Amino acid sequence: MSPPHPPPQSHSANITPYLLYLIATVTLGPLQFGFHLAELNAPESAIRCPSTPSLLLTTTTTTTTTATTTITTNPTLPPCLPTTAAQYALISSIYTIGGLLGALAAGPLSTHRGRLLPLYISAIFFTLGPLLSSLASSIAIMAVGRFVSGLGAGAAIVVVPIYISEIAPPERKGTFGALTQVTINVGIVVAQVLGYFLSYGQMWRVVLGVAGGIALVQGVGLVGVCESPQWLGSQGRSKAAMEILGRIRGGEVHEEVGRLETADEGNEEYQSLLHNDDNQNTAGTKRSSEAPIGILKVIVHPDHYKAIIAVVGVMLAQQLCGINSVIMYSVSFLHDLLPTTAGLITIAVGALNLIMTIACAPLPDRFGRKICLLLSITGMGINSFLLAFGILYEVKILSAIATLLIVASFAVGLGPIPFILANELVGPEAVGATQSVALAANWIATFLVAQFFPILNTALGKGRVFFLFAGLAVVFFAFVAWYVPETMGKKSTDEVWGVSRERREE
């Protein structure tokens, strides 16, 4: 017989000012990831040195005068960097290569050394990268800056979702977990707005440099951030873990732990805090106190390979259902259909993505992760088909509505949930490695979309590439429906996968 549910007031009692401070500080990492993803979109013409006088004078006389003054007073920094389209694409995509390497390194580091160290390292990369990019005198230096920023982004996107899941109240993990995607969208919108207004003269350097200021703020804020109590518990440091958890919860930790402990053997997070001795690991300690597992081992480990397949599949679905084709290329494929400026279209898409992500944040905790994923994939698949039809036959209204509904559908599930699942499908000893593998797959898929969407769109003819995204949505719907388990309300990974503890320990 399961224990009664906690009283309603307990849902908000654990949301303390310190918890909000922690989340606000660490989520500046995903915000910078989104910022760097979109920072080169609007200022492209200013960065690449427009080749005709008419393009150079598209703003105002004041703009031209400002640019000229900047060149005169700072001759070491050219007003723009002459690049071909291929070179500019390389500068854009090298960010994803840095992100891939950062993601692969951050998982094992967070498993062995804790969550806080990778956050400090990512803040350093986030500071150095924009400094190099904004002060670049050549495309090579800018590329190095983008690569360094990618290293920080890869580390942040791995560690921040883990950290949030481990400090959030159990009944609010889905809601707080969605903040990763929310802040990514905030970063995208901020970059797009700055790019729209500052794409002239050398002001593009200000756009690229803003992220460095955000990184400095985060670095200062990290001084007051604590280590994850769940990670401390998994290392046998239960006393320190309980003290930190009490600080995060505002003194309500014993009531919370006691409630979870009586619920069938309790929750793995709190069992790791309760049953790990600071000086020893007993034979009865749960999986959360086992030795950390590396990337190669987690892929073949009998307890975790299923989770790897599930999380990687969902991460691939997030990118290959077409969201970044809309975020990154909506200007190009809608320019001939919609009577508005390219910059405003980009801002509108980014703003809608942010609004819908915030509005849909409670859904995973209300309806479950799996249902939200299936609804999200369904919406993206249907609207990708409609967008292809609208572009192919030049139906302006249908194309506009379908584009917006793709973004709205993404926010329902595919946006936030993939970042939550890695922590809920495996035990703490495998979370870092699992998150690294999953994010590596995500970065690779992002690179493929960024590099090859324009090529496929040209090769297949206008709009037809979205038929491909619709077909991929069908494949991913079948995969999630058949293979990915529901994690909402489950107290352990054994329950998630339907494995009894006696059977696993045999």
Side-chain angles (χ1 to χ4, degrees):
M1 179 177 178
S2 60
H5 293 290
Q9 62 269 24
S10 66
H11 291 300
S12 59
N14 290 330
I15 301 178
T16 62
Y18 186 57
L19 173 63
L20 296 179
Y21 168 80
L22 295 178
I23 291 177
T25 301
V26 300
T27 51
L28 288 177
L31 185 148
Q32 291 169 89
F33 161 73
F35 188 98
H36 289 299
L37 195 65
E39 66 183 352
L40 297 184
N41 190 1
E44 178 178 356
S45 62
I47 295 173
R48 290 183 57 194
C49 296
S51 57
T52 64
S54 60
L55 288 176
L56 286 169
L57 301 173
T58 52
T59 52
T60 63
T61 304
T62 303
T63 298
T64 305
T65 303
T66 303
T68 303
T69 302
T70 306
I71 297 170
T72 302
T73 57
N74 193 0
T76 60
L77 295 179
C80 55
L81 306 177
T83 60
T84 65
Q87 289 172 331
Y88 199 77
L90 177 62
I91 294 173
S92 298
S93 61
I94 200 171
Y95 172 68
T96 66
I97 303 300
L100 172 61
L101 296 178
L104 290 174
L109 183 62
S110 70
T111 298
H112 292 279
R113 299 294 183 182
R115 319 310 189 200
L116 197 53
L117 179 60
L119 291 175
Y120 274 112
I121 294 174
S122 69
I124 293 173
F125 286 139
F126 276 139
T127 303
L128 294 178
L131 183 65
L132 290 170
S133 297
S134 62
L135 299 179
S137 58
S138 68
I139 60 172
I141 296 176
M142 177 174 282
V144 171
R146 291 277 295 169
F147 178 80
V148 172
S149 296
L151 291 173
I157 291 299
V158 167
V159 178
V160 171
I162 299 174
Y163 185 82
I164 291 176
S165 180
E166 292 176 345
I167 66 172
E171 66 276 6
R172 287 290 181 265
K173 283 188 176 183
T175 301
F176 281 107
L179 291 178
T180 298
Q181 187 63 32
V182 169
T183 51
I184 288 173
N185 291 331
V186 171
I188 291 173
V189 172
V190 170
Q192 290 168 344
V193 171
L194 288 176
Y196 180 74
F197 289 105
L198 299 178
S199 293
Y200 62 88
Q202 291 210 61
M203 293 304 293
W204 59 267
R205 296 184 183 276
V206 175
V207 177
L208 302 188
V210 164
I214 298 173
L216 289 175
V217 172
Q218 184 186 27
V220 173
L222 285 173
V223 174
V225 171
C226 61
E227 183 55 82
S228 161
Q230 184 171 337
W231 182 83
L232 290 172
S234 72
Q235 302 300 302
R237 298 165 60 183
S238 61
K239 182 178 179 180
M242 292 289 283
E243 290 176 355
I244 289 177
L245 187 63
R247 184 183 177 191
I248 295 173
R249 297 288 186 263
E252 299 293 329
V253 61
H254 292 294
E255 178 184 352
E256 180 179 356
V257 171
R259 185 172 70 249
L260 292 169
E261 186 183 24
T262 59
D264 296 326
E265 291 191 290
N267 178 284
E268 286 185 359
E269 171 186 353
Y270 295 95
Q271 292 296 328
S272 70
L273 306 185
L274 290 166
H275 300 302
N276 282 343
D277 220 321
D278 282 329
N279 299 317
Q280 64 179 0
N281 288 328
T282 64
T285 301
K286 291 186 158 190
R287 245 188 323 174
S288 56
S289 61
E290 293 180 4
I293 299 175
I295 291 175
L296 295 179
K297 288 185 178 180
V298 79
I299 294 174
V300 298
H301 196 288
D303 287 345
H304 304 307
Y305 76 91
K306 289 183 178 180
I308 289 290
I309 295 173
V311 175
V312 168
V314 173
M315 283 291 185
L316 292 177
Q318 185 188 63
Q319 297 302 321
L320 298 183
C321 284
I323 185 61
N324 273 337
S325 66
V326 174
I327 297 297
M328 300 173 70
Y329 296 108
S330 58
V331 172
S332 61
F333 67 72
L334 290 177
H335 184 270
D336 294 334
L337 293 176
L338 298 178
T340 185
T341 65
L344 289 177
I345 295 173
T346 304
I347 292 175
V349 169
L352 177 64
N353 196 9
L354 172 60
I355 293 170
M356 289 301 301
T357 300
I358 295 173
C360 295
L363 297 184
D365 283 334
R366 181 171 300 179
F367 300 109
R369 283 57 159 154
K370 187 168 183 174
I371 292 296
C372 289
L373 282 174
L374 293 175
L375 289 174
S376 182
I377 294 171
T378 300
M380 293 192 71
I382 291 173
N383 287 291
S384 291
F385 183 89
L386 294 176
L387 178 57
F389 184 90
I391 295 175
L392 186 60
Y393 293 100
E394 299 185 354
V395 184
K396 297 181 180 181
I397 296 178
L398 178 62
S399 299
I401 293 175
T403 300
L404 297 177
L405 289 179
I406 286 175
V407 174
S409 299
F410 178 78
V412 172
L414 278 178
I417 292 176
F419 296 107
I420 301 172
L421 283 182
N423 191 65
E424 296 184 336
L425 292 176
V426 295
E429 75 283 355
V431 166
T434 301
Q435 194 78 288
S436 285
V437 173
L439 268 297
N442 188 282
W443 280 106
I444 291 171
T446 302
F447 175 83
L448 292 175
V449 173
Q451 284 291 106
F452 296 108
F453 174 83
I455 297 173
L456 287 174
N457 194 35
T458 301
L460 298 177
K462 61 177 186 178
R464 289 185 176 89
V465 66
F466 287 97
F467 286 130
L468 176 60
F469 287 132
L472 288 172
V474 173
V475 173
F476 285 118
F477 180 94
F479 171 78
V480 172
W482 168 67
Y483 192 84
V484 178
E486 179 58 71
T487 62
M488 185 184 71
K490 304 296 176 64
K491 295 177 288 295
S492 69
T493 55
D494 291 326
E495 185 179 350
V496 167
W497 292 104
V499 178
S500 65
R501 192 164 305 281
E502 291 78 9
R503 179 181 172 186
R504 184 181 61 78
E505 291 174 349
E506 287 178 355

